[in-house]
Amino acid sequence: MREKVTKTEAEWREQLSPKQYQVIRKKGTERPFTGEYNDSKTAGTYVCAGCGAELFSSDHKFDSGTGWPSYYQPIGDDAVAIDEDHGFGMARTEALCATCDGHLGHVFPDGPAPTGLRYCINSLSLKLIERS
C-alpha cells in the first residue's frame, strides 16, 4: 500500500500552477486536444504532477481520438484509485492518484484489449519521466 501524501490547500496552491490546481485539486478538466501529452509518443513513465507517484506507462498509452491522453491500464494495481463522479448531471467513474487523491480524469469501458478500459487523463495531472 502506498503512503498517502497530504498537504494543505495553501501548500498545493504554492506547488501547482493555477491550471494544475484547478484540475488536480478542484476536479477540473483541460480542453480536448490542448494537453501536452495527448499526442506524445515519447517512451517513459507518467507520474502524478502533484506528488510524483508513478501512474501510467507509455507502453499502455493509446490514441483514443478523444483529445486526452488515454491508457488501458495503470502502471500498478495500487496506482490509481476509483470513485463515483456525479458532477455535471452525469454518472462517471473518476480516476484519482491513489497517493495524493489528486484528480486525474475518468475511466470509461470503451478501451482496447486486454482490459477494455480507457483511462482518459488530463495532461495537467501528469509529468512524463522519459525512458533513457
Side-chain angles (χ1 to χ4, degrees), residues 27 84-93 106 108:
K27 301 180 187 282
E84 291 182 24
D85 177 0
H86 296 284
F88 301 103
M90 298 181 277
R92 298 183 292 176
T93 303
H106 292 88
F108 300 95

Side-chain angles (χ1 to χ4, degrees), residues 28 46 56 69 90 114:
Y46 291 88
F56 298 98
M90 298 181 277

Side-chain angles (χ1 to χ4, degrees), residues 47-117:
V47 302
C48 177
C51 70
E54 292 185 352
L55 298 172
F56 298 98
S57 169
S58 61
D59 296 336
H60 304 139
K61 189 174 188 288
F62 69 98
D63 183 5
S64 66
T66 61
W68 289 275
S70 297
Y71 310 84
Y72 61 81
Q73 70 186 36
I75 204 160
D77 292 339
D78 63 347
V80 176
I82 301 300
D83 197 13
E84 291 182 24
D85 177 0
H86 296 284
F88 301 103
M90 298 181 277
R92 298 183 292 176
T93 303
E94 181 182 12
L96 301 158
C97 172
T99 303
C100 71
D101 295 326
H103 175 75
L104 303 173
H106 292 88
V107 185
F108 300 95
D110 59 1
T115 66
L117 298 174

